[in-house]
Amino acid sequence: MAKADAHLDADRPLEKKLLRYVWSHTRSEQLWILFVIIASMPTYFMVLDLPVRIINQPIQGDGFDSVGATKTFMEIGLSAPSFLGGGSVTFFPGVELERWPYLIALSSLFLALVCVNGLFKFYINTYKGRLGERMLRRMRFQLTDRVLRFPFGHFKRVKGSEIASMVKDEVEPFGEFIGDAFVQPVYLGGQALVAFIFILNQSFWLGMIAVVIIAFQVTIIPYLRRRVLELGRMRQLTARLLSGRIGEIVDGIAAVHVNDTSNYERAELSSRLGQIFFIRYELYQRKFFIKFLNNFLAQLTPFLFYVVGGYFAIRGSLNVGQLLGVINAYKDLPAPINGLIMWDQKRTDIDIKYAQIVEQFNVKGMMSSEVQAVSDAPVAPLEGTLQSANVQVLDDSGSVLVEDADFRMDVRDRVAVLGSIGSGSGAMANTLAGLNEPSSGRLTLNGLNFLDLPQYVRGRRLAYFSSDSYLPQTSVLDALLYVNKHVPLRKRPDTLPPLDRHPKHRSEVIASGNMLLDIYDGWIDYEAMGVRNTTELFEKTKSILDVVELTETVNDLAMRQQLDPATNQTLCDQLLDMRLKLRERINGSPMAKLVEVWDWNTYNKQATLAENLLFGTAVNGADLEAERLVQNHYLRSVLAEDNLDRALFDMGVELAETAIELFADLSPDNPFFEQLNFMSPEQLEAYPPILARAKQNGFAGVTDADRDLLLVLPFGYIEERNRLRLLDDGFADRILAARHRFHANLPAEMAENINVYKLERYNALESIQDNILYGRVAQGTSNASDQVQTAIRELLVEEGLSDALFKVGLDFDMGTGGKRLSENQRQRINLARALMKNPDLMIINRGLNALDSRAEKRIVKRVAELAKGTETTPPFGLFWVLSTPTLATEFDKVVVFQRQRVVETGTPDELAEAEGPYASLVS
């Protein structure tokens, strides 16, 4: 595949001047639109001239001195100047018209020219808008392309949120200006020149008045705008810093909560917002004063025209048509003049902003675009000797990370790297992965510079991850396959529904200098993973997740997922069948006590009181959650029929009293609060005064707000969990009766919002496990949940549904940064996807330090064994910076780092006998 030229000048620094950047990419388009603008000027002049002709000739009668007099309309010809000998050529002699038809003809011509002029404006504005958006698309692509080629060390000095803000927000104004960059001054200047020539043609002195006012505007307004531009720059900088600071708060939110620094962050935020406020306030004052001055000057000129022009008209040296023509022409003149002033100021402002962008994105040491060149050519496996000779690595501050590192290994060797954090071991792993660049020494493969390998070779033949490797928000499966998406290898199948794309999608991609590679094509490299199709890929995925001990996790994630019967009808039907078989299996067995199933005529003591009332799941949870449910008028009327609302109020009083008595003196993070599911630690502080008022005034005497807050507590009560003995059989029967009354006359709008529990229906709003159980797991019974899940998994295997459910687990959305998974699970995912890559050399920088020692030992042993190769997979090398030194015995070779230097290399047995640093570490 040929290289996709998304940007022909990718390796050149960004142009320092925006106008030069725009011209270099849009020269032909700019010339065309300039031609269209020049072509529009004659019609603009005629639109100004025709009102004068209409007033002077057919209306005032100039040329119609007698009854039946006529004038020639639409005579078309050319006349030569007198210095060229004069003479004329007539193409069309015109039509003779009397006064009234002549008025109609001129007025109709005026209307037609207005339409033509409007169409010119429409075409010009649409064309330059498209041009601006196209260039904005190009610029954003180029900037992001450069981010992908920044040297790794540069990311330590910049914040991701600031870069994102620059690419998304700070270049946004460029789109509008780029379309106007060359078009606007020519278009507005042309309009102003035509209007000015027209005014001079009518009256020299009125033209001079216009010149003086315009000269004043052009001089004073730019002067006043200088401070506005400075404030604009300050606003942009402070807003960018605010964006970066908020990003830091989000990334470090755990530290904020742990250290109780939320109010410090609020104070700093308030200070930054205050700075932005006063900058913007001064900016508004100055901007609107300039606008006031502009408006005043715009009205001053017509005043002078009325006075001076009126004087000339009274003296007879200027007719009324000419005066009205001048006023009408000047009405259009301030807009282009102001537009030109605004354009010039905007150009200056945009140049400053563009210079800041260029400064941030013209980074020294940026990778060549050739390093990331597109290639679908087969990449030969790496073979031979990898040698580090006197390698020294410095960080951006000049501190030594690795010093004079000397060692050698075969690419397929299994090498354990030992050393404390900061010893140089981790930095050496990063250097091998290409994330650090040696300041001296050589890192070679078979004598050739190892770091000179193109990225498409390194990215396919090496695997790397560290303990803090980032996972984007995606599904588990997409995270595993991400490392094998280098280039599209297959076209999107025609059997799939067509994409809803604009007909000009491809042409606009080319015109914008974007990447032609299609994200919807087949990017997954099956061959690299050693599989031929999706079936083999699934089997490989399962086997690798077994190696990293994630299989049970994926199964658990599947059980927590929700399925939509509309898109998964077959699987949902199979799960319904499984529901019945599971019930048959557990009925009459000891497991019957572990699950309490839903029954229309039975109160489920493992579920909340609210769930028992609704006997279903709310489609819109926010509308029918406990806080809103107690305010529902229909439900309240149902409860009032049996005075159940008063009983629940009394129950709420008892719950509040018990909670305050037992938990008031505990810290909010105390584990005992896990039993307080009907009230949060924060709510606990609000209830003592409510409780006092309730005891004093009773159900009828308290306010609606207090009554609701006490009624909501029983709605979250679970007898078998909370065990406060507040819900006896008699009370449960009253709740059941209320359930029946509630559903008997349920309003249609509420009925649509509740998925009622039915044995024969799959509930899309419940998890897969809850759908299979059709009930709730017994609380308080030891290992009840584990026993139930084991029974479900066994039945899934028997029914042949385990793979289908495993695929559902693989579709689990891991959340931003993979944070819906634990750190332990994220590290396992990183190891799994490194194994999915089938690399020649796997580089791991303390990748499993979040695991307990036993789990780490099991997984390291499995991976080390896999690295030897199997019947179906080739051997691969390991360069593993271990957190646990004793695991080095699983490897062929050991490299020991101390104080940024390699102090020992050899086999584990050799180094153990030498009784040096290695022996000290493993002992």
Side-chain angles (χ1 to χ4, degrees), residues 726-741:
L726 297 179
L727 207 157
D728 56 20
D729 291 342
F731 204 136
D733 290 341
R734 294 177 69 185
I735 298 297
L736 280 177
R739 173 199 292 176
H740 296 155
R741 292 196 305 272

Side-chain angles (χ1 to χ4, degrees), residues 315-334:
R315 289 184 55 187
S317 58
L318 188 70
N319 61 49
V320 176
Q322 289 174 313
L323 177 58
L324 291 177
V326 168
I327 293 172
N328 184 55
Y330 186 78
K331 181 186 69 177
D332 292 336
L333 189 56

